Amino acid sequence: MSEPSDTAGYNFAYLDEQTKRMIRRAILKAVAIPGYQVPFGGREMPMPHGWGTGGIQVTASIIGRDDTLKVIDQGADDTTNAVSIRSFFAKTTGVATTARTEEASVIQTRHRFPEKPLRADQILVFQVPIPEPLRWLEPRESETRKMHALGEYGIMHVRLYEDIALLGRIATAYDYPVRVNDRYIMRPSPIPKFDNPKLDNNPALLLFGAGREKRIYAVPPFTKVKSLDFDDHPFEVQTWDHACTLCGARDSFLDEIVTDDLGTRMYACSDTDYCADRREAAPQTVDASEAAE
Amino acid sequence: MYVAVKGGERAIAAAHQLLAEERRGDPAVPELSIAQIEQQMSLAVDRVMSEGALYDRDLAALAIKQARGDLVEAIFLIRAYRTTLPRLGYTLPIDTGRMAMRRRISATFKDVPGGQVLGPTFDYTHRLLDFTLAAEGANVSPPQQPSINNPAPIPPMPRVTDILAAEGILAPEVDIDAGDTIADLTREPLAFPADRDARLQALARADEGFLLGLGYSTQRGYGRSHPFAGEIRMGAVSVEIQPEELPFPIDIGEVELTECQMINQFKGTAETPPQFTRGYGLAFCQGERKAMAMALVDRSLRAAELGETADSPAQDAEFVLCHCDNLEASGFVQHLKLPHYVDFQAELGTLRTLRAERREAAE
Amino acid sequence: MTSDRPLLNVQNVSHYYGDRAGCLDVSVDLWPGEIIGIVGESGSGKTTLLNCLSARLQPTAGRIFYDQRHRGLVDLYALSEAERRFLIRTDWGMVHQNPRDGLRLGVTAGANIGERLMAVGERHYGQIRDKALDWLGRVEIDTARIDDLPQTFSGGMQQRLQIARNLVTGPRLVFMDEPTGGLDVSVQARLLDLLRGLVTRLHLSVVLVTHDLAVVRLLAHRLMVMQRGRVVESGLTDQVLDDPQHRYTQLLVSSVLQA
């Protein structure tokens, strides 16, 4: 990625005000129709499509000088793409950045929902690669829009039925489809289904931006979000037989890390901020040998 | 003890440093100037301007230099810059009928008013490496006669398609009324069904390689459309604006373009007699391969509106338009190298569970 | 179930393709539990008429009324698209000549049958499964094949699966377009037998398009003979076939006898 050596020639948060207004209008519409994908005139951004340009445009349109921004990728603040996006906003807005979930007013994320509970004064912005939940079943945009409009969602359950019939369980592990406010079916972006329950009735505003596909959608605060399932095969989340090696957490999403050539594994929180806090509060709650059980 | 990876920031900075060094190459070799790229890599500059959708030779040359000659990357740089530019106004439609031409050929008539003019083309070169070019600095070719070196442009001539249209044998293009708004994909997202104005804009910005392959597929039977190269012309046209306070338009400069109009057979319907129809291609400067491929694909995408069966990839507007932009394609293909630890972990867990269940069932 | 009004009431329906008439001025009533056959050679307009009747092709002129459950007579083409699509997937069925058009070949037989149930809100996997098994049995497909893809089925099985997929939600009206076309004679006979049993037991109304007079003789109560877009003769099936009045019908009947 090349960076402008001088951002003086660019507007606050890179986008011009006209574009931001257009995006804010799309966001307002998205909030008014929870789960509905609002088309918007997505712009080219100085980073590649598929790398978070949708989330970046949403963040750029809502961020103000008093905001504090947190950017995570895979739950971590220090993954390269998170670093790159955070430095982009630091450079183009000069706003304060943080790694601490509770300090942030705007959090941009890829693939995770933070472990710490969010508040009503926070906004979580998701980067979305493919917004259309019906895409793998029906590739045509003209047809999927009709299916949404008419609420023809039977096909979504066909997919779940097939999993159970052939594999004995629902095999979708991430980007698990949800129904928002009893109306639109939505892709929550590729978060693990472990995070799906956090979407439901969350106090924070959840915004989803898909730059390449030029769609914005939203889950307003305190909105019902239900993961699709069957009455006799209810939705369930991942569990681990391990605790985090670093902080001992048993309630967070764990990364599996291969530590040597023999395939030895260890497990650690994917949410680095959550993990760091726990270690600070109670260091050495668990030692590595126990955690690796 | 495992420590959460720190130092993403340092790694990125180091990568940028390496990139800068690679771009410069051996410091003992003189650095390329923007002017050299602009003058001697001119077809690369032309392509970056077309697909970057910005007519600025110097910026395109800069982008090529910065991108180390990777044209898709250079196009990206130009697009990302372009999107920040204020929109000051809209020009009047350009008139290629008034083009000052440097090249003009028609495959449909042996001679046409204005004649056939080859211009600067690779067409009849023998593709033999010219080792004299390897002798840098030494000017081995004798100086050309000035008239050949810089022939006067051909004065404006009617387009072959105008001649056919006058006879009524070529379907007229739909006039856009002054009040109609023309699609602008840089402002509004693509929606389907997409009208021809939106389709043409998408194709004009589309990846040349993608259009080339698609256009080729129509010639091989995937949506055959019987094309003739009615006319290809290359040259400069005036760009005009119409200020509200003036009764006449103002010439604000000129751009060089390549225009291709393909002529295709059409069997007609109950309402319309058999006639020719058009496929249209346009590219900045000397983008002839692109303009021709674009014209083939444009005509293919008209299948539905002309009542032809549309079952080939090049006739499928959603397929073509959603996948023709190299920024989108390159970004999304390459995003696969970003971390997917979390999704992969989730998938891993599911797979292990399923395998364990199968083992148990087998026991 | 008796009724004092038709399920489908067709009034002077015509459809034009440009200048050419696909079907011309067709009027007919279809009563609950009745099977009506539409015969004619290819190009006679029978498929155009079927498409008009099944809400997939807007007629150029004329109107079609359907007696919707809980609602009474509705003008098909005055319904919103949402209402029309809902009607099609709940109260109607469509059996295509080519199973490829009527099945999802990429998902299992069970999912093919279950899809319509899930589309109308069934959310209990076990119950969907039970109904799928029940319907496989009813259309004489080995229930052990429930998790197999339709691609691995024979032509006759695919056709029976298509029928099960349509009937699982208990529709009242089924459209069939050459349901036995492309099948061997022995397979055809078995399918016709099955269809006749199901239709009678479920008190279905059927619009059956075919060029095969043997099929209509076996299934249809009434018959419409089409030629160049027009209905040239109609009446009770046996009556029309045994004592055809129109020259074209006579020709059709005699050509079958000769064959």
Side-chain angles (χ1 to χ4, degrees):
Chain A
M1 192 195 74
S2 72
E3 297 158 358
S5 56
D6 180 11
T7 51
Y10 290 93
N11 194 26
F12 179 80
Y14 180 79
L15 293 175
D16 60 281
E17 293 305 315
Q18 204 64 32
T19 298
K20 288 187 198 172
R21 266 201 290 279
M22 175 271 293
I23 294 175
R24 282 185 212 126
R25 276 198 295 272
I27 292 172
L28 287 175
K29 183 167 179 184
V31 169
I33 318 171
Y36 171 75
Q37 301 166 48
V38 182
F40 79 108
R43 300 289 191 252
E44 280 103 350
M45 296 299 284
M47 41 279 268
H49 283 300
W51 298 52
T53 54
I56 293 167
Q57 287 179 76
V58 169
T59 299
S61 302
I62 59 170
I63 202 164
R65 295 191 193 279
D66 300 333
D67 275 309
T68 303
L69 177 70
K70 171 182 166 80
V71 182
I72 50 174
D73 189 334
Q74 314 297 303
D77 298 85
D78 205 44
T79 37
T80 42
N81 203 42
V83 168
S84 166
I85 292 170
R86 187 168 52 243
S87 77
F88 172 74
F89 280 113
K91 205 156 50 186
T92 57
T93 67
V95 302
T97 61
T98 181
R100 299 179 63 86
T101 300
E102 61 274 23
E103 285 173 5
S105 55
V106 177
I107 304 172
Q108 178 163 333
T109 178
R110 176 168 171 266
H111 293 197
R112 272 313 307 277
F113 200 115
E115 303 287 4
K116 295 179 186 168
L118 299 182
R119 299 182 311 265
D121 61 346
Q122 293 178 301
I123 300 176
L124 185 58
V125 179
F126 291 84
Q127 301 172 199
V128 180
I130 304 270
E132 179 50 70
L134 303 166
R135 180 64 76 234
W136 309 129
L137 307 160
E138 171 55 62
R140 264 162 216 295
E141 180 76 20
S142 38
E143 185 59 23
T144 54
R145 287 188 78 75
K146 198 172 283 181
M147 290 162 83
H148 280 296
L150 302 178
E152 285 182 7
Y153 290 136
I155 185 89
M156 291 301 290
H157 274 86
V158 168
R159 190 174 125 186
L160 303 183
Y161 169 96
E162 287 288 89
D163 275 1
I164 301 172
L166 299 175
L167 303 168
R169 60 171 57 238
I170 296 170
T172 304
Y174 61 92
D175 214 347
Y176 191 104
V178 295
R179 190 149 196 170
V180 181
N181 201 28
D182 294 321
R183 178 60 182 89
Y184 286 99
I185 299 235
M186 183 190 98
R187 284 176 88 137
S189 88
I191 56 173
K193 65 178 177 180
F194 178 87
D195 285 341
N196 271 27
K198 297 174 191 152
L199 298 164
D200 183 39
N201 217 29
N202 198 292
L205 170 61
L206 313 179
L207 299 177
F208 299 79
R212 195 175 36 77
E213 302 276 343
K214 301 183 175 59
R215 296 287 184 275
I216 287 172
Y217 52 100
V219 175
F222 303 107
T223 300
K224 177 178 170 190
V225 177
K226 184 175 181 339
S227 303
L228 301 188
D229 62 1
F230 287 106
D231 299 343
D232 50 342
H233 282 262
F235 172 79
E236 51 188 30
V237 300
Q238 290 103 337
T239 55
W240 282 261
D241 298 333
H242 313 271
C244 171
T245 309
L246 304 178
C247 75
R250 289 187 173 274
D251 58 354
S252 82
F253 190 91
L254 300 180
D255 280 342
E256 176 177 333
I257 296 141
V258 182
T259 53
D260 62 25
D261 293 354
L262 304 172
T264 308
R265 306 286 209 275
M266 63 162 288
Y267 293 84
C269 292
S270 112
D271 185 332
T272 47
D273 170 50
Y274 180 71
C275 196
D277 266 20
R278 282 180 51 89
R279 272 177 290 155
E280 227 168 81
Q284 309 295 326
T285 38
V286 68
D287 72 53
S289 57
E290 185 194 323
E293 275 307 301
Chain B
M1 189 67 180
Y2 168 83
V3 185
V5 183
K6 287 280 172 199
E9 222 141 333
R10 282 202 312 279
I12 290 175
H16 291 176
Q17 180 65 37
L18 280 172
L19 180 65
E21 285 169 20
E22 290 275 322
R23 183 189 59 69
R24 179 60 185 87
D26 184 350
V29 175
E31 185 175 349
L32 267 176
S33 72
I34 301 299
Q36 282 172 330
I37 296 171
E38 194 268 304
Q39 285 295 313
Q40 297 173 37
M41 296 281 141
S42 58
L43 294 181
V45 169
D46 293 352
R47 180 175 171 193
V48 170
M49 292 200 300
S50 273
E51 293 172 38
L54 186 69
Y55 196 94
D56 188 318
R57 299 196 71 82
D58 289 341
L59 286 180
L62 169 62
I64 291 167
K65 178 174 178 175
Q66 187 179 331
R68 302 168 58 195
D70 179 341
L71 297 191
V72 174
E73 183 69 22
I75 289 160
F76 187 1
L77 289 169
I78 291 297
R79 287 267 198 97
Y81 175 75
R82 178 196 189 280
T83 198
T84 65
L85 297 176
R87 181 118 352 171
L88 301 176
Y90 290 83
T91 70
L92 296 173
I94 51 151
D95 182 0
T96 55
R98 285 164 51 203
M99 179 184 279
M101 292 181 285
R102 294 207 289 139
R103 170 169 168 78
R104 192 285 190 95
I105 50 170
S106 169
T108 48
F109 294 104
K110 187 171 183 185
D111 203 2
V112 283
Q116 308 258 15
V117 179
L118 285 181
T121 176
F122 287 122
D123 284 355
Y124 303 100
T125 60
H126 296 150
R127 270 62 168 198
L128 304 171
L129 280 175
D130 180 357
F131 293 103
T132 60
L133 291 175
E136 288 167 54
N139 190 357
V140 284
S141 53
Q144 303 280 347
Q145 291 172 16
S147 62
I148 296 173
N149 211 4
N150 198 7
I154 319 156
M157 287 293 163
R159 290 164 297 205
V160 170
T161 47
D162 297 335
I163 299 166
L164 289 170
E167 193 191 332
I169 199 166
L170 176 69
E173 294 299 9
V174 185
D175 267 336
I176 293 195
D177 296 327
D180 286 355
T181 50
I182 298 172
D184 185 354
L185 300 176
T186 67
R187 303 280 116 174
E188 295 295 327
L190 195 57
F192 295 99
D195 288 337
R196 194 164 172 217
D197 51 349
R199 298 200 305 254
L200 284 170
Q201 188 190 10
L203 295 179
R205 292 158 57 94
D207 184 75
E208 178 177 321
F210 183 78
L211 290 193
L212 184 65
L214 276 177
Y216 178 45
S217 76
T218 68
Q219 295 177 283
R220 289 194 67 259
Y222 289 86
R224 180 154 169 69
S225 57
H226 314 274
F228 298 94
E231 183 177 340
I232 296 162
R233 52 169 63 193
M234 185 269 286
V237 296
S238 298
V239 178
E240 295 175 335
I241 54 166
Q242 173 67 67
E244 265 175 44
E245 58 274 28
L246 289 179
F248 49 84
I250 304 285
D251 187 330
I252 57 167
E254 59 182 26
V255 293
E256 196 163 82
L257 298 169
T258 299
E259 178 187 65
C260 171
Q261 301 217 50
M262 290 284 180
I263 296 173
N264 301 67
Q265 204 186 87
F266 175 54
K267 294 194 173 63
T269 63
E271 291 87 38
T272 43
Q275 58 185 347
F276 290 120
T277 54
R278 246 179 282 219
Y280 190 80
L282 188 74
F284 281 150
C285 299
Q286 300 179 44
E288 187 162 297
R289 192 193 296 118
K290 164 80 182 269
M292 291 180 77
M294 175 176 166
L296 290 177
V297 177
D298 169 49
R299 178 57 183 80
S300 295
L301 293 179
R302 300 181 66 192
E305 77 190 52
L306 293 170
E308 299 166 338
T309 49
D311 47 13
S312 296
Q315 295 170 318
D316 183 332
E318 276 211 44
F319 177 80
V320 172
L321 302 184
C322 286
H323 302 113
C324 66
D325 187 87
N326 58 29
L327 246 65
E328 292 175 2
S330 162
F332 202 50
V333 165
Q334 296 202 63
H335 106 284
L336 290 174
K337 63 195 169 192
L338 289 178
H340 284 77
Y341 320 137
V342 168
D343 295 353
F344 186 72
Q345 187 62 47
E347 201 89 311
L348 204 57
T350 303
L351 220 53
R352 282 178 181 147
T353 310
L354 293 173
R355 286 168 65 91
E357 280 170 357
R358 180 178 287 205
R359 260 200 314 277
E360 277 163 30
E363 275 160 16
Chain C
M1 193 167 73
T2 54
S3 175
D4 56 354
R5 62 179 179 207
L7 191 63
L8 198 65
N9 167 241
V10 182
Q11 300 178 0
N12 311 100
V13 163
S14 300
H15 183 84
Y16 288 88
Y17 300 101
D19 287 343
R20 195 175 60 78
C23 64
L24 258 179
D25 199 25
V26 178
S27 297
V28 63
D29 283 339
L30 178 70
W31 295 81
E34 187 181 38
I35 304 178
I36 196 156
I38 304 175
V39 297
E41 55 200 12
S42 60
S44 62
K46 57 188 194 302
T47 301
T48 300
L49 179 60
L50 181 79
N51 288 341
C52 288
L53 300 187
S54 58
R56 292 178 303 165
L57 181 66
Q58 175 136 28
T60 317
R63 296 171 81 184
I64 303 167
F65 293 92
Y66 178 71
D67 186 5
Q68 198 174 1
R69 256 189 266 228
H70 316 302
R71 191 168 168 186
L73 283 185
V74 291
D75 182 340
L76 273 190
Y77 289 93
L79 292 176
S80 70
E81 187 175 8
E83 292 172 315
R84 201 152 54 225
R85 280 169 75 130
F86 182 77
L87 181 71
I88 288 172
R89 70 173 193 263
T90 54
D91 219 20
W92 289 7
M94 178 82 208
V95 177
H96 297 265
Q97 174 175 7
N98 189 340
R100 205 154 307 175
D101 299 325
L103 292 175
R104 282 191 195 277
L105 295 180
V107 303
T108 61
N112 264 286
I113 300 177
E115 179 174 351
R116 274 171 68 123
L117 292 171
M118 294 181 256
V120 296
E122 178 66 72
R123 291 292 176 264
H124 191 283
Y125 173 82
Q127 285 167 10
I128 294 166
R129 189 91 179 155
D130 287 346
K131 281 189 190 154
L133 286 167
D134 175 45
W135 270 100
L136 283 175
R138 290 216 232 174
V139 298
E140 299 166 14
I141 294 174
D142 181 359
T143 50
R145 305 292 303 269
I146 186 169
D147 294 332
D148 292 349
L149 295 178
Q151 281 154 336
T152 65
F153 286 11
S154 69
M157 282 167 74
Q158 290 183 346
Q159 236 23 357
R160 280 178 276 141
L161 181 62
Q162 214 192 142
I163 290 162
R165 169 179 161 86
N166 273 286
L167 298 189
V168 66
T169 49
R172 294 189 300 159
L173 172 57
V174 178
F175 298 94
M176 298 186 186
D177 187 5
E178 304 275 9
T180 58
L183 298 178
D184 292 343
V185 177
S186 61
V187 178
Q188 272 192 25
R190 185 175 169 199
L191 185 68
L192 286 172
D193 216 37
L194 176 80
L195 270 177
R196 195 161 60 162
L198 285 171
V199 162
T200 313
R201 236 186 345 271
L202 300 169
H203 198 65
L204 288 176
S205 300
V206 177
V207 177
L208 169 70
V209 160
T210 179
H211 68 281
D212 188 340
L213 296 186
V215 171
V216 282
R217 192 185 278 278
L218 201 64
L219 284 182
H221 302 120
R222 274 201 299 147
L223 193 56
M224 290 161 64
V225 182
M226 292 189 72
Q227 185 194 22
R228 288 192 220 106
R230 287 184 187 279
V231 175
V232 294
E233 185 164 0
S234 63
L236 296 176
T237 304
D238 290 343
Q239 207 175 340
V240 173
L241 293 183
D242 294 344
D243 183 17
Q245 301 298 308
H246 193 273
R247 270 187 53 83
Y248 178 71
T249 318
Q250 290 165 357
L251 201 69
L252 269 186
V253 171
S254 64
S255 66
V256 170
L257 292 177
Q258 282 160 11

